[in-house]
Amino acid sequence: MFYRLSGLLALLVLLAAPTHAQLITDPARAAAARDTLLQQAAQLRLHAEQTSPIFNTNARARGRRRVVVQGISHQNSGTLPNDGVRQTQWAPDNIAWRHVTRYRRDGRVQERYRLSAGHQMLLNERRLNGAVIWLSVPVAYTSVPGMVVRHRGLFLRTGYVMLDKDQYVLPKSLQ
């Protein structure tokens, strides 16, 4: 008796749940959404790395299996005191980025790239042997000068793309 009631309750919950957006299966639109998201991520990375006057790395010795490169992108980078040491004070318009590369013993190269402004994540990306396997741009607008974030989205290597509020499925030939 209890199992019948719980099954009926589960069916009612599923029927009463709001319907989700329909997946768009048009290959041309799905490829355009994927390319838009990948291009925006490349522009965000390029802007953050070009405006970073100083970055840190742990790759002082050859043969390291984990290499971490990180920096802070100073939008107003004219803050050199008289002693010549650059101040690394955090300002709200600064962007912090971190690129972690892991070289596995079986030959795989895993990369993780994170980009954030303040407490707001702008980009989170994972790569395997140079191919993007997961990409997330969680915000569609940022108040950081010089940064242009027009779309928010998510890309998965399995062929799913979410750009703004539309969800796409890439065909196997385009993955």
Side-chain angles (χ1 to χ4, degrees), residues 2-99:
F2 177 71
Y3 294 112
R4 287 184 187 170
L5 287 177
S6 64
L8 181 62
L9 182 62
L11 181 63
L12 288 175
V13 168
L14 287 176
L15 292 176
T19 58
H20 296 291
Q22 186 174 358
L23 292 174
I24 299 171
T25 57
D26 182 23
R29 288 178 62 192
R34 177 199 60 194
D35 294 342
T36 300
L37 197 59
L38 292 176
Q39 182 181 16
Q40 179 174 304
Q43 289 174 352
L44 288 172
R45 273 194 320 271
L46 182 67
H47 176 75
E49 291 172 359
Q50 282 184 344
T51 57
S52 294
I54 297 175
F55 61 90
N56 299 326
T57 183
N58 72 341
R60 289 175 176 73
R62 297 178 74 196
R64 277 233 155 139
R65 296 240 177 244
R66 180 175 175 261
V67 178
V68 179
V69 181
Q70 58 190 359
I72 295 178
S73 170
H74 294 279
Q75 301 299 322
N76 302 322
S77 60
T79 58
L80 279 177
N82 294 335
D83 58 356
V85 178
R86 186 176 300 272
Q87 296 290 328
T88 58
Q89 294 177 349
W90 183 262
D93 60 344
N94 291 342
I95 301 164
W97 56 272
R98 181 180 171 112
H99 186 189

Side-chain angles (χ1 to χ4, degrees), residues 148-168:
V148 179
V149 182
R150 293 188 181 103
H151 304 283
R152 61 182 284 234
L154 176 71
F155 169 73
L156 301 173
R157 179 176 65 172
T158 56
Y160 293 101
V161 178
M162 187 175 81
L163 186 67
D164 295 327
K165 294 185 180 185
D166 297 329
Q167 298 177 3
Y168 301 92

Side-chain angles (χ1 to χ4, degrees), residues 77-147:
S77 60
T79 58
L80 279 177
N82 294 335
D83 58 356
V85 178
R86 186 176 300 272
Q87 296 290 328
T88 58
Q89 294 177 349
W90 183 262
D93 60 344
N94 291 342
I95 301 164
W97 56 272
R98 181 180 171 112
H99 186 189
V100 179
T101 306
R102 294 177 188 256
Y103 298 96
R104 299 294 184 184
R105 294 186 193 278
D106 60 356
R108 292 181 300 157
V109 178
Q110 295 175 332
E111 296 176 85
R112 186 179 70 213
Y113 193 90
R114 289 185 178 185
L115 184 72
S116 60
H119 296 290
Q120 184 178 25
M121 182 69 65
L122 297 178
L123 175 68
N124 198 350
E125 179 179 14
R126 293 178 191 247
R127 292 178 176 260
L128 179 64
N129 294 333
V132 176
I133 59 172
W134 186 72
L135 173 70
S136 171
V137 181
V139 285
Y141 173 75
T142 181
S143 62
V144 178
M147 296 291 283

